[in-house]
Amino acid sequence: PQAEVKPQTRILVAKRDLPIGAFVQTGTDLDWMVWPEEALQAGYITEGVEEISSYQGSVARRSLKAGEPVTASALVKPGAGG
């Protein structure tokens, strides 16, 4: 019997540990990672909904560990209050 193929999507994750207040460089700090759709949580940033480039220059509102899913509330985009 074949293993069931579970639907997957790609979410934004931290590529390295980011301390609170870190300025985010999308090429070195963030990347897309394949993630099972059944494990998606509200707030995860999914590919196709947002462009990774829109987070260039964002500031980490809280610390993030390498490989940790990034949520919209974890980053403050340039020009946004918070």
Side-chain angles (χ1 to χ4, degrees):
Q2 288 185 324
E4 181 182 344
V5 177
K6 300 201 185 241
Q8 296 182 324
T9 191
R10 287 171 25 122
I11 64 167
L12 200 60
V13 298
K15 285 174 73 171
R16 64 180 186 91
D17 291 351
L18 297 171
I20 293 173
F23 284 94
V24 174
Q25 302 298 315
T26 54
T28 56
D29 298 332
L30 303 175
D31 202 4
W32 298 114
M33 177 184 275
V34 174
W35 201 261
E37 285 189 6
E38 66 186 20
L40 284 178
Q41 294 184 17
Y44 284 5
I45 299 165
T46 55
E47 188 176 37
V49 175
E50 294 254 13
E51 293 293 326
I52 196 170
S53 60
S54 70
Y55 289 93
Q56 175 66 31
S58 293
V59 176
R61 184 176 279 164
R62 63 176 180 81
S63 62
L64 293 162
K65 296 288 183 197
E68 181 179 344
V70 175
T71 61
S73 64
L75 300 177
V76 179
K77 288 184 177 182

